[in-house]
Amino acid sequence: MKALSYFLFYTYIGLVILAGFWGAFVGPRLDHAWLFHLDTSTLPEYSRVNLISQYRFLRALELGYGLFAVLFTKEIFTHKTFNGLFLLIMFSGVLARVVSLVIDGSPSWLFYFFLVYELLGVVVIFLYTRKTTLYYDY
């Protein structure tokens, strides 16, 4: 279970870092076109600028979460505080996808894939870290 936990952790965090950096600093318009089939150039300027600005901001937070996880990997797998925070954030993403599914409707297959992969990661990492020595660091 250790190998699977670390595999799911690093693949998830790797994608979080890549998507965060890409969306914040390189290609948010491509993300909108590819992920949402939205040509932002067709939006009124006010809407386009605000949408892309907010998208960059959220992707930058995603990048920060990923970098945090890489820098504190050891703590995430050994300290209850770091572990709980990491799993809470990861599970919040899963829960947000489920809420969106119920309220907003069915997304594309790619978003279902992320939902299942992220949920699997939360469950496996949670179960693995319950078997390891976790302690509070205060």
Side-chain angles (χ1 to χ4, degrees):
M1 181 157 307
K2 178 180 180 178
L4 181 58
S5 292
Y6 278 93
F7 174 79
L8 291 169
F9 174 84
Y10 280 116
T11 55
Y12 168 71
I13 290 303
L15 184 57
V16 164
I17 290 171
L18 180 64
F21 180 79
W22 174 265
F25 304 112
V26 180
R29 287 170 191 83
L30 276 171
D31 271 9
H32 285 93
W34 188 66
L35 292 174
F36 313 124
H37 297 175
L38 174 65
D39 180 358
T40 56
S41 68
T42 63
L43 298 173
E45 183 178 359
Y46 179 84
S47 299
R48 179 183 54 78
V49 169
N50 284 295
L51 176 68
I52 293 173
S53 175
Q54 185 66 14
Y55 188 79
R56 286 182 188 272
F57 170 77
L58 294 172
R59 286 296 195 168
L61 290 179
E62 185 176 18
L63 172 62
Y65 167 60
L67 293 174
F68 174 85
V70 167
L71 291 173
F72 293 99
T73 301
K74 179 183 175 199
E75 289 80 2
I76 288 167
F77 280 88
T78 59
H79 294 230
K80 281 190 179 186
T81 303
F82 283 88
N83 179 263
L85 179 60
F86 174 81
L87 289 172
L88 175 67
I89 295 168
M90 192 174 180
F91 182 71
S92 294
V94 172
L95 188 57
R97 290 189 191 280
V98 170
V99 167
S100 181
L101 181 63
V102 170
I103 293 173
D104 304 319
S106 184
S108 73
W109 67 269
L110 184 61
F111 291 96
Y112 281 109
F113 171 78
F114 289 143
L115 170 64
V116 170
Y117 198 84
E118 292 159 359
L119 180 58
L120 179 64
V122 168
V123 169
V124 169
I125 293 168
F126 175 80
L127 291 175
Y128 169 68
T129 54
R130 291 303 147 267
K131 293 180 180 181
T132 61
T133 305
L134 290 172
Y135 57 90
Y136 289 104
D137 48 338
Y138 46 79

